[in-house]
Amino acid sequence: MKRKYLHIIILVLLYSMEMSGQEYKFVKDLSGKWKFSLGNNPEWSKSNYDDSGWDKIYVPSAWEMQGFNGYDGYAWYRKTITIPQLYNKEALAIELGYIDDVDKVYFNGKKIGKTGDFPPCFATAYNARRIYDIPEYLINYDAPNTIAVQVFDEGLEGGIVRGDIRLIAEKNPLRPFMDLQGDWNFKIGDDLSWRYDTGEDGSWRKIYVPGNWENQGFKDLNGYAWYQTSFIANDSFSKDRIVLLLGKIDDLDEVFINGIKVGQTGFMEPEHRQREHTEAYNQLRGYLIPEGIIQQGKTNTIHVRVSDFYLEGGIYAGPIGFIHQQDYISYWKNRKKSNY
């Protein structure tokens, strides 16, 4: 097993956990009865959908153990939770244990994560631990919030089968003013001319960021791949120097905005790799953007060239987005003070 997983430390007495360098604290237990329905309907992701007629089953537990023996295919889970206002300074996430085989998760109707690949390009991820960051702008404090989970099971047991089911909060979080978590374009291979590509020519697939690519249908992929997304620079980009946050990347990366290189971690070319990749996968990426590159009020593109050596790969952990330089500096000062 890769070293980053060997460094996981569970701190039970403090209701906290550390995963891939991110430290969390317990907020709310979400295990217990959830609304449940067999089948598949995109309307079921919406927060205002009426699920009053649905069955209820216990989470975590395979649905075969709760009256749906022998069922393989699609099903949905839904749960409504209230998050107190006192957590409005926290960076919250949902932990959903282990899901057999594939899932897509929505919070108040917006997708916040996906693990595995649904048919027709089915790829199981039954042994992947699910932790999904919740973008702050989606949360209704002191009011109902809806979690909806689409699941596909190919065979044997299915559903949210085991593990911790809870709401958690990251300690000392980086909070971007523009969140870029979500679906990005993705292409396997390597061509530097792709840094100008808009991702609209049909040769790019969709991948959820953050999340390692092995758990999203690209099993055993080692080598080069590219990510692409776009954004419109609003007034917040004129207030201070800007840092692009790209979470953690396994293993090395090179980053371009509007075709211009703005940063890298490690040396991408095989003849220069040496041994830096052994630590690079666990480093937070924060790239200060040179002035004049981002075009105010216009569509800008981000391209991330990634090289993975073995096992897991890609932009696997957040935060993903833009933060002001002063806020970024404050974050690192706070880390130093807390010896985190």
Side-chain angles (χ1 to χ4, degrees):
M1 185 177 290
K2 205 164 185 177
R3 285 184 6 178
K4 62 190 174 195
Y5 296 112
L6 295 179
H7 289 291
I8 297 172
I9 300 173
I10 305 218
L11 303 174
V12 177
L13 295 178
L14 298 178
Y15 292 100
S16 65
M17 66 187 176
E18 185 173 358
M19 181 178 180
S20 303
Q22 287 173 289
E23 189 178 58
Y24 296 94
K25 59 185 177 182
F26 174 88
V27 174
K28 184 180 182 68
D29 184 11
L30 299 181
S31 64
K33 294 292 186 179
W34 286 53
K35 294 291 186 71
F36 179 77
S37 179
L38 301 181
N40 190 32
N41 185 338
E43 295 293 312
W44 297 348
S45 68
K46 296 181 178 179
S47 58
N48 60 356
Y49 180 79
D50 181 7
D51 57 17
S52 59
W54 283 27
D55 293 309
K56 292 182 179 180
I57 66 173
Y58 189 85
V59 173
S61 179
W63 62 51
E64 283 84 356
M65 303 297 293
Q66 302 183 72
F68 302 95
N69 188 44
Y71 179 74
D72 301 319
Y74 285 94
W76 283 71
Y77 296 78
R78 288 172 57 91
K79 190 175 186 67
T80 299
I81 64 171
T82 299
I83 300 174
Q85 182 71 31
L86 65 92
Y87 291 106
N88 70 340
K89 300 299 183 183
E90 306 276 8
L92 299 176
I94 299 170
E95 183 175 7
L96 290 174
Y98 296 85
I99 298 177
D100 198 340
D101 287 283
V102 183
D103 66 288
K104 191 181 295 182
V105 180
Y106 299 83
F107 191 88
N108 287 334
K110 300 294 184 181
K111 185 169 75 171
I112 63 168
K114 171 180 174 288
T115 304
D117 235 14
F118 289 90
C121 303
F122 171 76
T124 184
Y126 72 92
N127 61 347
R129 186 182 184 185
R130 271 65 165 183
I131 295 181
Y132 297 120
D133 295 332
I134 308 172
E136 196 275 336
Y137 70 90
L138 292 180
I139 300 173
N140 300 317
Y141 295 102
D142 291 332
N145 297 271
T146 301
I147 304 167
V149 185
Q150 178 191 28
V151 176
F152 177 81
D153 174 50
E154 186 188 40
L156 301 179
E157 67 176 8
I160 307 174
V161 293
R162 67 186 188 280
D164 293 316
I165 313 298
R166 53 190 178 178
L167 185 69
I168 53 181
E170 185 181 352
K171 294 183 177 179
N172 189 31
L174 275 166
R175 294 172 67 98
F177 69 82
M178 176 178 282
D179 197 315
L180 295 177
Q181 172 181 329
D183 287 325
W184 287 44
N185 293 315
F186 183 75
K187 184 187 286 191
I188 298 171
D190 191 39
D191 187 332
L192 284 175
S193 70
W194 292 350
R195 69 187 188 273
Y196 302 110
D197 201 325
T198 62
E200 298 175 352
D201 64 358
S203 63
W204 297 71
R205 289 182 60 181
K206 293 294 183 182
I207 194 169
Y208 197 86
V209 175
N212 74 60
W213 59 47
E214 279 80 6
N215 286 336
Q216 300 190 66
F218 302 95
K219 187 175 177 60
D220 301 323
L221 171 59
N222 296 309
Y224 290 96
W226 284 66
Y227 293 79
Q228 186 274 335
T229 194
S230 60
F231 66 96
I232 296 177
N234 56 30
D235 291 342
S236 295
F237 284 81
S238 63
K239 297 177 181 178
D240 187 14
R241 294 290 299 279
I242 302 299
V243 175
L244 173 61
L245 301 173
L246 286 173
K248 297 184 179 182
I249 299 176
D250 197 339
D251 287 289
L252 308 181
D253 61 283
E254 216 170 7
V255 181
F256 305 85
I257 293 183
N258 296 330
I260 301 171
K261 184 175 174 179
V262 298
Q264 70 180 66
T265 298
F267 295 98
M268 298 287 288
E269 309 310 326
E271 63 268 25
H272 299 300
R273 285 179 178 174
Q274 301 174 3
R275 296 179 60 83
E276 75 272 6
H277 67 278
T278 61
E279 297 297 334
Y281 76 88
N282 203 32
Q283 296 176 9
L284 278 170
R285 267 58 165 189
Y287 298 121
L288 181 64
I289 309 304
E291 294 181 355
I293 290 180
I294 295 177
Q295 302 175 41
Q296 190 83 13
K298 297 182 179 180
T299 299
N300 298 262
T301 62
I302 301 171
H303 290 81
V304 184
R305 181 188 183 209
V306 175
S307 177
D308 175 53
F309 298 90
Y310 55 93
L311 299 180
E312 294 83 10
I315 308 173
Y316 71 91
I320 312 296
F322 289 104
I323 190 171
H324 293 117
Q325 182 184 24
Q326 287 303 313
D327 293 333
Y328 188 65
I329 292 171
S330 296
Y331 167 80
W332 287 105
K333 286 181 177 179
N334 290 335
R335 277 182 63 121
K336 185 176 181 180
K337 289 178 182 178
S338 63
N339 293 317
Y340 174 58

